[in-house]
Amino acid sequence: MPKLSVEERIHSFKEVALGYTEKQAIAEAKRCLQCKVPRCVEGCPVNIDIPAFIKFISEGRFEEAIKKVREKNSLPAICGRVCPQETQCMGRCVRGIKGTPINIGALERFVADWERRTGRIKTEVAPPTGRKVAVVGSGPAGLTAAAELAKLGHDVTIFEALHKPGGVLMYGIPEFRMPKDIVIDEINYVKSLGVKIETDIIIGKVITLNELFEMGFDAVFIGTGAGLPRFLGIPGENLCGIYSANEFLIRINLMKAYRFPEYDTPVKVGKRVAVIGGGNVAMDAARSALRLGGDVTVIYRRTELEMPARREEIENAKEEGVKFLFLATPVRFIGDDKGWVRAVECVRMRLGEPDETGRRRPIPIEGSEFKVEADTVVVAIGQRPNPIAVRGEKSIKLTSHGTIVVNPETYETTRRGVFAGGDIVTGNATVISAMGAAKKAAKAIHEYLMGGGDN
Ligand SMILES: Cc1cc2nc3c(=O)[nH]c(=O)nc-3n(C[C@H](O)[C@H](O)[C@H](O)COP(=O)(O)OP(=O)(O)OC[C@H]3O[C@@H](n4cnc5c(N)ncnc54)[C@H](O)[C@@H]3O)c2cc1C
Ligand code: SF4
């Protein structure tokens, strides 16, 4: 996949991956073996008929290719960009056993971008069923559930707490990985199916679940994600200059801090920035801070091998000049007399036996404390589910982690007529897993409604 030069990247928020040309896409598609038992499809949580859409590309039949993808995936321009294909479809491709797997994500992105350039292909929508569904949250789970239900003829309204729909795609993943005009385009596709979107409405505060049913909705899908930041819980974490990754990225992506003064909502990025964590969120925060002029060091308690971030994003971060400090973890933040952070005191770690995640457990080395100078710190160590939508709803059972308990087949919660999927059920995961769950939930909601389901 061709990429923007490093020089151009570090001074802008322009998209880094440039996408295939028609010629490159056809050449890549021609490498596909058209396996009779395609292992790639088994690796796709939404079961796209991968060999079929790749065959269409290899023949230059791009319209048929995008139609094939859209049969199973309502957000292909998004998935083609941010899905961890290397551990899903592409990770299973037989071409990868002895050589290079087919770049399925890049091909999916290619046909989605081709459709954007040449005009949207109309999707068939079933005649109205007269049943109404409320979808809470407009991230990948909410958008997918809404699209699937609208295609089946249901009257769907999405309620979103923020002023813009899109969830993490809009407020979390930066422009240089997920351009916002593409997210808006995919949202417009969902709207073109008849879905209505109401922003600035926090379900659980402005409208309760009971009130949604009183308003005439026959079923509810909850896709409220995992948007609550986790903190380290160490001394000094309240000093000025220390952000949660959520706040830092929301200021940059949703409030467009990188376009100050055109947008009057800046974010303060100091000379030396420390980002704590090793996942995609940490990489996004580090690369954003670098673009805003910081000298950035990622502090991670294990080694590069155990980092949960996508390899491609770690490589991009390194190319751009982000530094990495492995096998270290903060134990306290040190501030100046005005209350601003000045340094992170860390302790060195060693790796022990594998823990429940299969990764080797980091163990602190006693007496190995040292300081890293920093005037901005971004804590990116994970998110928790946001409980507001179901707070006080005794009929909806939660796990000890705050995620919603659902029937694993139907995604129905412990309250009849209320379904849930995405990060609010699994804890923070991936775009495609949220979409996969939402598709299954939509199917179950449809069966519930057509079976005469009454709450
Ligand atoms: C910075 C960052 C980078 C990431 N990078 C990747 C990546 O590269 N690849 C990947 O696959 N995954 C990535 N992820 C994870 C992925 O984005 C999530 O797994 C996915 O967005 C989950 O989708 P969702 O629809 O369940 O939740 P979200 O996307 O979190 O959407 C939930 C929506 O619900 C709204 N909401 C919450 N409470 C309420 C309420 N009470 N009423 C109304 N609305 C409400 C929220 O405002 C939000 O818009 C990343 C996550 C982050 C934070
Ligand atoms: S496994 Fe690879 S080669 Fe086989 S059909 Fe899928 S993409 Fe093509």
Side-chain angles (χ1 to χ4, degrees):
M1 171 82 79
K3 287 199 280 192
L4 211 62
S5 74
V6 170
E7 189 48 34
E8 244 187 298
R9 281 191 229 167
I10 58 176
H11 295 117
S12 81
F13 274 71
K14 281 190 201 155
E15 188 173 20
V16 169
L18 297 176
Y20 281 152
T21 60
E22 287 192 7
K23 214 167 140 194
Q24 286 168 328
I26 291 173
E28 182 64 4
K30 281 191 172 153
R31 292 204 308 120
C32 172
L33 302 172
Q34 294 294 311
C35 306
K36 287 230 159 49
V37 184
R39 289 165 35 133
C40 51
V41 179
E42 289 163 21
C44 173
V46 294
N47 294 110
I48 297 176
D49 188 344
I50 294 169
F53 99 80
I54 292 184
K55 187 159 199 306
F56 283 133
I57 295 180
S58 71
E59 293 163 356
R61 295 159 69 190
F62 305 136
E63 184 169 334
E64 284 105 322
I66 184 65
K67 274 188 185 156
K68 191 45 79 187
V69 174
R70 283 209 181 273
E71 276 174 13
K72 296 286 171 75
N73 186 343
S74 302
L75 311 171
I78 291 167
C79 292
R81 284 173 165 81
V82 300
C83 273
Q85 289 101 7
E86 60 282 2
T87 57
Q88 297 178 329
C89 52
M90 212 172 136
R92 308 257 182 117
C93 172
V94 287
R95 273 278 194 186
I97 297 173
K98 286 199 181 142
T100 313
I102 305 295
N103 196 338
I104 301 167
L107 292 175
E108 184 182 22
R109 169 192 163 140
F110 168 77
V111 278
D113 288 356
W114 177 86
E115 187 193 21
R116 284 185 78 226
R117 278 198 314 276
T118 55
R120 179 81 64 204
I121 287 149
K122 207 165 161 31
T123 303
E124 293 295 320
V125 172
T129 59
R131 308 308 303 261
K132 282 177 73 177
V133 185
V135 170
V136 186
S138 63
L143 290 171
T144 303
E148 293 301 310
L149 289 161
K151 282 195 252 174
L152 291 164
H154 302 299
D155 178 353
V156 185
T157 306
I158 299 181
F159 295 94
E160 166 56 50
L162 295 172
H163 64 285
K164 281 191 183 157
V168 169
L169 305 170
M170 199 56 129
Y171 77 71
I173 307 180
E175 183 80 24
F176 54 81
R177 266 203 318 128
M178 188 64 264
K180 302 309 154 210
D181 56 345
I182 288 173
V183 182
I184 292 168
D185 249 36
E186 296 283 51
I187 292 170
N188 285 340
Y189 165 74
V190 176
K191 284 193 195 164
S192 76
L193 302 171
V195 172
K196 287 158 270 184
I197 305 183
E198 303 279 351
T199 52
D200 291 316
I201 295 191
I202 306 179
I203 299 298
K205 273 203 181 262
V206 181
I207 304 173
T208 63
L209 275 187
N210 282 339
E211 284 166 345
L212 284 177
F213 286 108
E214 283 161 24
M215 285 160 71
F217 289 101
D218 300 296
V220 176
F221 173 80
I222 303 176
T224 46
L228 279 191
R230 277 185 206 281
F231 287 98
L232 291 150
I234 58 174
E237 210 166 9
N238 285 334
L239 286 166
C240 301
I242 303 183
Y243 298 89
S244 70
N246 288 52
E247 179 187 347
F248 189 68
L249 290 170
I250 284 182
R251 279 171 183 261
I252 292 171
N253 295 317
L254 206 61
M255 294 152 81
K256 304 271 180 249
Y258 65 95
R259 281 165 64 181
F260 178 77
E262 187 191 335
Y263 284 77
D264 57 2
T265 44
V267 66
K268 189 169 163 46
V269 175
K271 284 204 179 80
R272 289 200 178 86
V273 181
V275 174
I276 321 296
N280 285 322
V281 183
M283 292 307 100
D284 283 345
R287 296 172 68 200
S288 297
L290 183 120
R291 283 161 171 76
L292 291 168
D295 175 2
V296 184
T297 303
V298 169
I299 302 176
Y300 180 54
R301 60 195 184 141
R302 294 179 162 106
T303 73
E304 183 173 343
L305 214 62
E306 291 83 21
M307 279 179 79
R310 295 186 68 190
R311 290 294 113 192
E312 168 180 337
E313 303 311 337
I314 300 171
E315 287 314 316
N316 281 334
K318 282 188 190 166
E319 281 172 14
E320 289 163 11
V322 171
K323 293 172 213 145
F324 289 82
L325 174 58
F326 294 114
L327 289 171
T329 200
V331 286
R332 72 176 174 123
F333 295 107
I334 301 162
D336 62 17
D337 53 0
K338 297 204 171 61
W340 284 86
V341 67
R342 288 290 167 247
V344 188
E345 185 172 305
C346 296
V347 66
R348 296 209 185 274
M349 312 290 275
R350 66 180 174 82
L351 291 184
E353 293 303 308
D355 62 14
E356 59 286 352
T357 65
R359 292 178 303 168
R360 292 177 66 194
R361 191 187 300 275
I363 303 166
I365 302 173
E366 230 177 282
S368 66
E369 286 79 3
F370 64 101
K371 286 186 195 130
V372 176
E373 278 184 46
D375 43 15
T376 301
V377 175
V378 184
V379 180
I381 57 163
Q383 290 89 235
R384 290 176 295 132
N386 188 333
I388 298 178
V390 293
R391 187 180 282 161
E393 294 285 342
K394 291 204 176 58
S395 55
I396 294 187
K397 201 171 157 199
L398 303 182
T399 66
S400 57
H401 302 292
T403 51
I404 296 180
V405 174
V406 293
N407 173 324
E409 301 296 319
T410 63
Y411 288 82
E412 193 167 22
T413 67
T414 43
R415 175 167 178 177
R416 196 159 157 68
V418 180
F419 299 73
D423 281 8
I424 189 64
V425 170
T426 54
N428 50 332
T430 62
V431 169
I432 196 72
S433 60
M435 291 174 65
K439 277 192 78 159
K440 288 187 190 143
K443 186 167 172 277
I445 294 172
H446 178 64
E447 282 161 12
Y448 169 79
L449 294 175
M450 299 327 276
D454 275 319
N455 184 259

